[in-house]
């Protein structure tokens, strides 16, 4: 371990790792964007990165600024030459030269700049613990941003792009996500068909009003309950608080089976009423738990003042507590809306009639070998976009509400 | 002024406290009522069902079925009722039929219409018990006194009332232990349990580790921090069905982009069937679980991090602590509480997870967890009883987990 703490060892190591990461990421990105295969080559990319990591180190007493200037001559030029002899990124098969050069350029820029930033804290010789850890953290940070962004973005990118293509294009080159802009509105054919032939407009409307009713019913039940648990003293408060959490933990599939049986026998299966009956119950425990956490945080003195002034408890809740708790109500509503909108299992088990499908149930019905999969992806996009827009618009509420209420601390 | 009474604290519950408790229960009542109707009742019924020999087809209880039609003409005109027992193996008792003879028809006097009697316009038939698979026809001779078309419409427009009670398998007292024997039978159960444990443990730990990493990345102010935070929450916010299908298409063995990419990069020569091979499928669904739920732990950990007092870090800086030391000796102890709560919660939720695996693999290729097994037994094999038995097993595991959870939570948070 100790040997690692020398700048001339840590620098090249970090450079090599970074260079390889960048080579892989650039190749994935370029392949996904252009549809032409480019691939990283392990050894050259490691060697090139190590060379960069070594060359960017400061030496002796010379200032870094001077050093960087010198590097352009002493390091960058040999490095560029190296790029052409044993290149870290090669095209494969029918990829065009321009694509490969674009990949090179991206790679070179990211590798040069990244390595420079990462090994900035390192001296040439023995590094202090601070300097060494600082450099490692810089590497991990850079790696982390790229890693998380890639793993989150790629599935969504694939989802959107697939929905804009047609079956033949998809089979011909699965990597090719380029969009033929000359098609104009033709790009959105899958969407058009979903709305015209598969009545996704109606599914969307069903999903929407089911979710809104769910939010409304959930609040109606959970606000008084949460207030009682948070503010009023009564025997069994702790036990009640625990049973809420316990119910929160009961898996849906365990409940879905008896509910399926009961609904089949009472004729509630395959009706929106049945769905609206069942959704709030799955969300009430969450909402109750989030809200009571928030109500606890409100100053009791304001309410006491209200009581002194002659309001009764219900008036206090209506006139004082609820207006104060508006942000919490917003975030709980948003969260409950999200749960109801995204709910799949119950809709899948309880609904058979295409005229009352919710969006998620509608997408599930697209999952068959006869329906091309750009339709499936277009359906997914249709279900994802509204909830994303809502969520991004109100993100502050969302994160606050989620963290403030649901798990304390 | 009386001095003989010492001031004593009030004993028992005063009227105020009583009123408060009453109000509290009043506020809680609707919630308790609806939750017990939809959660507690089903939970109890699942225990009941798990001891029942019941299949999907038994959900429709045996019932008498009747069809009514006007047949023949002129002298031979008659109303025909065709009656049958819908079940081939269960009797129906106390079957009666009642109908109204429409205007324009009169029942021929003196005809033998047993077991029916006519009382004015009212027809009443008492069939007693119907044997399993029983069928019969009743002909009521009638004479036309009005418009024929109107009569026909009246007959096809109105349904006769029919009653009869049957012994439903759900409500009788026939029990069997076969469902549990079936569930615990053989190696399959242990495979399922092992898969569940693998999925739960690695899914939970993975989501926590990645969540912690992401939280560390975003625990500083910089331009675009909000954008990245929003982006990193995407997997959690998007509908599971959308992202699950996106993954399935991305990793498709024939035309998936992931395979094309891997082949391009020379990692593999032939396409990999990510969701169709053992043990890769199990690893993939676990990776999906981590991918989908790291945002949740990331959110909680980040919130906790931002509430840590910065003074401590300044003091540590003064003392010359290195970044890793600060993380290990300051941040980690502060985060331990939320990390363990998250671990327990996520453990239970991952254990309960159904949709993800169901959508990705349908429980095939060695990815059948306990929850998927409930569905598999109840709906794919059509044995509701066996599905309920698996659900009971899940519920028992859950009780054990929550025991640990509450023990820990009370220590950690004084809940």
């Amino acid at each position: 371990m100790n040997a690692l703490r020398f700048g001339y060892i840590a620098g090249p190591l970090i450079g090599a790792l970074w260079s390889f990461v960048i080579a892989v990421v650039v190749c994935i990105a370029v392949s996904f964007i252009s549809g032409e295969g480019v691939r990283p080559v392990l050894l050259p990319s490691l060697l090139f990165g190590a060379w960069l990591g070594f060359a960017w180190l400061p030496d002796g007493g010379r200032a870094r600024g001077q050093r960087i200037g010198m590097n352009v001559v002493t390091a960058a030029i040999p490095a560029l030459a190296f790029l052409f002899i044993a290149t870290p990124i090669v095209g494969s098969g029918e990829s065009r030269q321009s694509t490969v050069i674009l990949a090179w350029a991206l790679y070179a820029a990211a590798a040069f700049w990244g390595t420079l930033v990462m090994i900035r804290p390192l001296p040439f010789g023995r590094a202090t613990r601070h300097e060494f850890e600082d450099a490692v953290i810089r590497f991990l940070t850079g790696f982390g941003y790229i890693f998380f962004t890639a793993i989150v973005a790629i599935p969504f990118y694939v989802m959107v792009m697939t929905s804009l293509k047609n079956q033949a294009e998809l089979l011909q080159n699965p990597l090719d996500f380029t969009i033929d802009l000359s098609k104009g509105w033709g790009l959105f054919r899958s969407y058009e068909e979903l709305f015209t032939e598969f009545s996704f407009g109606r599914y969307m409307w069903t999903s929407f009003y089911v979710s809104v009713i769910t939010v409304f019913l959930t609040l109606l039940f959970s606000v008084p309950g949460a207030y009682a648990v948070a503010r009023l003293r009564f025997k069994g408060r702790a036990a009640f608080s625990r049973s809420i959490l316990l119910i929160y933990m009961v898996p849906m599939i365990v409940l879905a089976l008896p509910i399926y049986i009961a609904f089949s026998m009472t004729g509630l299966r395959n009706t929106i009423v049945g769905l609206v009956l069942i959704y709030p119950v799955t969300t009430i425990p969450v909402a109750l738990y989030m809200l009571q956490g928030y109500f606890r945080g409100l100053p009791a003195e304001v309410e006491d003042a209200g009581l002194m002034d002659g309001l009764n408890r219900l008036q206090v809740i209506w006139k004082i507590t609820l207006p104060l708790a508006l942000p919490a109500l917003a975030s709980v509503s948003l969260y409950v809306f999200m749960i109801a909108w995204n709910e799949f299992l119950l809709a899948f088990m309880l609904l058979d009639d295409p005229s009352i499908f919710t969006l998620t149930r509608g997408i599930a019905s697209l999952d068959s070998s006869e329906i091309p999969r750009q339709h499936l992806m277009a359906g997914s996009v249709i279900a994802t976009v509204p909830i994303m827009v809502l969520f991004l618009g109100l993100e502050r509420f969302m994160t606050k509400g989620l963290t403030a209420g649901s798990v304390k601390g | 002024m009386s001095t003989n009474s010492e001031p004593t604290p009030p004993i028992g519950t005063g009227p105020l406290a009583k009123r408060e408790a009453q109000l509290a229960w009043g506020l809680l009542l609707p919630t308790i009522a609806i939750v017990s109707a939809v959660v507690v009742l089903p939970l109890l019924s699942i225990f009941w069902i798990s001891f029942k020999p019941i299949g999907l087809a038994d959900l429709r209880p045996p019932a008498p079925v009747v069809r009514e039609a006007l047949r023949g003409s002129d002298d031979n005109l008659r109303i025909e009722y065709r009656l049958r027992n819908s079940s081939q193996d269960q009797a129906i008792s106390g079957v009666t039929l009642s109908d109204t003879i429409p205007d324009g028809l009169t029942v021929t006097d003196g005809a033998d219409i047993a077991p029916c009697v006519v009382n004015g316009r009212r027809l009443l038939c008492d069939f007693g018990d119907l044997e399993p698979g029983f069928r019969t026809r009743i002909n009521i001779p009638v004479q036309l006194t009005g418009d024929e078309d109107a009569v026909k419409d009246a007959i096809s427009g109105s349904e006769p009332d029919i009653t009869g009670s049957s012994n439903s398998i759900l409500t009788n007292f026939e029990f069997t232990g076969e469902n549990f024997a079936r569930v615990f039978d053989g190696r399959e159960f242990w495979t399922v349990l092992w898969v569940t444990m693998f999925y739960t443990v690695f899914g939970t730990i993975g989501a926590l580790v990645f969540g912690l990493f992401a939280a560390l990345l975003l625990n500083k102010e910089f331009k675009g921090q909000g954008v990245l935070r929003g982006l990193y929450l995407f997997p959690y916010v998007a509908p599971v069905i959308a992202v699950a299908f996106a993954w399935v298409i991305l990793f498709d063995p024939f035309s998936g982009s992931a395979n094309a990419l891997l082949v391009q990069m020379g990692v593999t020569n032939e396409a990999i069937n990510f969701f169709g091979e053992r043990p890769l499928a199990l690893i993939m669904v676990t990776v999906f679980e981590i991918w989908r739920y790291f945002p949740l732990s990331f959110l909680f950990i980040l919130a906790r991090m931002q509430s840590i007092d910065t003074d401590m870090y300044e003091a540590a800086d003064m003392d010359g602590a290195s970044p890793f030391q600060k993380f290990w000796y300051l941040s980690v102890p502060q985060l331990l509480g939320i990390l363990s709560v998250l671990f327990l919660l996520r453990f239970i939720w991952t254990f309960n997870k159904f949709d993800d695996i169901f959508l990705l693999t349908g429980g095939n290729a060695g990815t059948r967890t306990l929850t998927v097994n409930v569905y598999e037994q109840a709906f794919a094999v059509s044995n509701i009883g066996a599905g309920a038995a698996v659900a009971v097993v899940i519920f028992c595991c859950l009780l054990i987990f929550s025991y640990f959870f509450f023990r820990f939570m009370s220590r950690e948070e004084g809940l």
Side-chain angles (χ1 to χ4, degrees):
Chain A
M1 260 323 261
N2 255 347
L4 277 179
R5 297 261 285 271
F6 288 92
Y8 51 80
I9 294 176
L13 262 180
I14 289 177
L17 283 176
W18 177 249
S19 152
F20 181 63
V21 169
I22 284 297
V24 171
V25 168
V26 164
C27 285
I28 293 178
V30 169
S31 300
F32 268 152
I33 292 168
S34 71
E36 295 163 40
V38 280
R39 62 190 177 89
V41 191
L42 178 65
L43 205 59
S45 67
L46 287 179
L47 283 175
F48 179 66
W51 164 250
L52 273 181
F54 184 75
W56 283 152
L57 285 172
D59 68 348
R62 208 173 307 163
R64 190 176 295 267
Q66 280 177 326
R67 176 72 193 165
I68 289 172
M70 298 257 312
N71 269 336
V72 173
V73 185
T74 58
I77 290 173
L80 279 176
F82 183 85
L83 264 181
F84 281 93
I85 300 161
T87 160
I89 292 180
V90 295
S92 61
E94 57 275 16
S95 43
R96 281 171 302 180
Q97 195 61 32
S98 59
T99 314
V100 180
I101 289 176
L102 172 78
W104 277 355
L106 283 174
Y107 161 77
F112 270 66
W113 179 71
T115 312
L116 180 63
V117 172
M118 280 167 199
I119 64 166
R120 186 174 286 155
L122 288 176
F124 186 79
R126 191 178 172 78
T128 66
R129 192 170 175 156
H130 273 259
E131 290 162 341
F132 173 67
E133 288 177 5
D134 201 6
V136 172
I137 285 175
R138 280 164 186 243
F139 168 72
L140 288 179
T141 309
F143 173 74
Y145 286 137
I146 287 182
F147 174 75
F148 281 112
T149 308
I151 61 164
V152 169
I154 287 175
F156 288 98
Y157 176 78
V158 169
M159 190 199 287
V160 173
M161 291 307 175
T162 307
S163 74
L164 298 177
K165 309 207 70 116
N166 65 41
Q167 194 77 12
E169 292 168 334
L170 284 170
L171 283 173
Q172 194 193 9
N173 181 3
L175 261 186
D176 188 1
F177 286 116
T178 47
I179 296 176
D180 187 3
L181 283 178
S182 61
K183 278 201 262 173
W185 286 110
L187 280 175
F188 297 97
R189 239 191 58 201
S190 307
Y191 293 88
E192 196 193 312
E193 280 172 21
L194 282 186
F195 277 107
T196 52
E197 286 165 38
F198 293 87
S199 54
F200 258 59
R202 193 169 58 210
Y203 299 168
M204 217 167 161
W205 169 240
T206 310
S207 261
F208 176 76
Y209 76 72
V210 165
S211 306
V212 168
I213 295 174
T214 304
V215 168
F216 181 73
L217 287 178
T218 304
L219 287 184
L220 198 69
F221 281 96
S222 57
V223 165
Y227 186 84
V229 174
R231 272 282 186 273
L232 304 176
R233 277 154 301 180
F234 61 97
K235 260 189 200 142
R237 179 160 82 161
F240 185 81
S241 187
R242 279 179 181 207
S243 22
I244 300 171
L245 257 183
L246 196 66
I247 283 169
Y248 194 13
M249 289 172 193
V250 175
M252 210 50 239
I253 183 81
V254 170
L255 295 180
L257 189 56
I259 286 169
Y260 178 88
I261 295 171
F263 277 20
S264 300
M265 299 180 86
T266 53
L268 278 171
R269 206 175 91 77
N270 220 352
T271 60
I272 289 292
V273 176
L275 215 57
V276 169
L277 264 177
I278 208 79
Y279 276 6
V281 181
T282 64
T283 51
I284 283 174
V286 200
L288 231 160
Y289 198 58
M290 286 167 80
L291 279 176
Q292 60 126 12
Y294 193 85
F295 285 157
R296 282 216 177 110
L298 292 178
E301 292 78 9
V302 191
E303 292 177 16
D304 291 343
L307 285 173
M308 295 295 248
D309 288 346
L311 297 176
N312 64 32
R313 273 286 177 185
L314 295 178
Q315 286 171 319
V316 165
I317 296 178
W318 184 249
K319 290 194 173 150
I320 297 176
T321 315
L322 282 188
L324 281 175
L326 267 184
L329 291 182
S331 59
V332 170
S333 307
L334 188 60
Y335 191 56
V336 169
F337 187 90
M338 185 188 101
I339 293 179
W341 180 273
N342 291 351
E343 207 288 329
F344 162 72
L345 172 61
L346 287 170
F348 180 71
M349 283 176 76
L350 298 179
L351 300 182
D352 289 331
D353 175 6
S355 67
I356 54 167
F357 275 180
T358 60
L359 254 186
T360 49
R361 181 67 185 86
I363 297 171
S365 72
L366 292 181
D367 180 30
S368 89
S369 49
E370 285 130 49
I371 296 173
R373 55 196 184 144
Q374 68 270 22
H375 282 55
L376 185 61
M377 287 296 93
S380 301
V381 172
I382 292 172
T384 308
V385 164
I387 197 74
M388 287 295 184
V389 168
L390 199 63
F391 165 75
L392 284 181
L394 302 169
E395 195 230 332
R396 284 200 180 274
F397 282 128
M398 178 91 181
T399 41
K400 279 239 172 60
L402 265 178
T403 49
S406 34
V407 175
K408 294 181 291 169
Chain B
M1 202 181 277
S2 73
T3 51
N4 57 351
S5 64
E6 287 280 310
T8 49
I11 301 164
T13 36
L16 261 180
K18 231 178 229 164
R19 270 218 332 253
E20 195 169 314
Q22 264 171 15
L23 177 69
W25 285 113
L27 291 176
L28 287 174
L29 200 66
T31 308
I32 293 175
I34 191 172
V35 167
S36 43
V38 186
V39 177
V40 180
L41 274 185
L43 274 182
L44 293 179
S45 65
I46 208 118
F47 280 92
W48 178 267
I49 298 165
S50 69
F51 288 104
K52 290 269 174 196
I54 174 175
L56 207 52
D58 297 326
L59 284 186
R60 186 166 297 179
V65 182
V66 69
R67 289 237 168 79
E68 181 189 16
L70 189 66
R71 295 200 182 266
S73 57
D74 303 331
D75 287 350
N76 199 17
L77 195 66
R78 60 195 194 271
I79 304 177
E80 183 189 73
Y81 292 100
R82 274 190 290 173
L83 181 80
R84 68 182 172 89
N85 181 346
S86 70
S87 162
Q88 294 297 321
D89 43 41
Q90 295 234 23
I92 307 172
S93 58
V95 178
T96 60
L97 183 152
S98 64
D99 200 9
T100 312
I101 310 285
D103 291 330
L105 283 180
T106 48
V107 178
T108 316
D109 287 333
D112 173 29
I113 51 169
C116 302
V117 285
V118 178
N119 186 1
R121 295 236 143 261
R122 200 93 198 122
L123 176 77
L124 253 174
C125 309
D126 187 356
F127 294 95
D129 295 356
L130 293 195
E131 293 303 307
F134 177 81
R135 290 165 180 278
T136 188
R137 276 171 202 225
I138 305 284
N139 284 308
I140 312 286
V142 286
Q143 278 157 355
L144 194 65
T145 55
D147 178 37
E148 191 175 349
D149 287 339
V151 166
K152 272 189 179 151
D153 284 350
I155 284 196
S156 58
S158 77
E159 290 286 318
D161 293 325
I162 189 150
T163 60
S165 63
S166 65
N167 187 1
S168 166
I169 183 102
L170 270 174
T171 48
N172 69 10
F173 287 90
E174 187 188 338
F175 293 105
T176 172
E178 201 189 318
N179 294 326
F180 284 97
R182 209 186 140 111
V183 167
F184 287 109
D185 181 35
R187 282 183 45 226
E188 198 203 345
F189 178 74
W190 300 108
T191 320
V192 168
L193 202 63
W194 189 84
V195 167
T196 312
M197 276 307 150
F198 178 91
Y199 179 69
T200 311
V201 169
F202 286 100
T204 308
I205 293 176
L208 275 189
V209 168
F210 280 92
L212 180 63
F213 188 16
L216 284 168
L217 285 179
L218 288 184
N219 187 26
K220 49 185 142 190
E221 290 293 324
F222 60 92
K223 240 191 204 168
Q225 192 231 23
V227 175
L228 276 187
R229 196 175 55 189
L231 180 74
Y232 290 179
L233 290 175
F234 269 26
Y236 178 68
V237 180
V240 60
I241 188 165
V243 286
F245 280 142
W247 272 58
V248 168
I249 282 178
L250 177 60
F251 289 102
D252 189 275
F254 304 110
S255 54
S257 315
N259 266 314
L261 199 66
L262 287 180
V263 171
Q264 290 279 16
M265 292 196 170
V267 179
T268 168
N269 283 326
E270 51 200 74
I272 302 170
N273 191 354
F274 284 97
F275 287 113
E277 276 170 25
R278 284 163 204 260
L280 193 60
L282 181 56
I283 295 171
M284 283 305 290
V285 291
T286 313
V287 168
F288 180 81
E289 169 76 14
I290 296 172
W291 178 80
R292 193 161 137 71
Y293 288 101
F294 89 85
L296 195 72
S297 15
F298 145 71
L299 209 59
F300 284 120
I301 296 171
L302 185 62
R304 181 74 189 94
M305 272 178 178
Q306 286 174 341
S307 69
I308 298 179
D309 207 346
T310 47
D311 291 357
M312 250 182 352
Y313 290 98
E314 281 162 25
D317 279 336
M318 299 292 272
D319 291 342
S322 76
F324 281 4
Q325 281 174 322
K326 277 191 287 186
F327 172 70
W328 190 247
Y329 293 109
L330 290 182
S331 306
V332 169
Q334 294 275 326
L335 294 176
L336 221 50
I338 186 76
L339 283 176
S340 26
V341 170
L342 269 178
F343 178 82
L344 281 166
L345 272 177
R346 288 261 21 108
F347 190 89
I348 291 171
W349 282 329
T350 313
F351 184 85
N352 290 346
K353 206 75 222 156
F354 167 80
D355 315 26
D356 305 35
I357 294 184
F358 179 71
L359 287 169
L360 288 172
T361 65
N364 298 318
T367 57
R368 191 191 291 185
T369 59
L370 275 172
T371 45
V372 178
N373 208 15
V374 175
Y375 185 88
E376 200 62 30
Q377 299 284 355
F379 294 99
V381 189
S382 296
N383 188 342
I384 297 250
V390 181
V392 167
V393 173
I394 293 179
F395 189 69
C396 292
C397 294
L398 187 81
L399 281 184
I400 299 170
F401 296 150
S402 50
Y403 169 75
F404 283 108
F405 180 77
F406 283 118
R407 256 184 81 113
F408 180 81
M409 280 288 270
S410 356
R411 207 149 40 90
E412 191 65 26
E413 318 227 333
L415 190 90

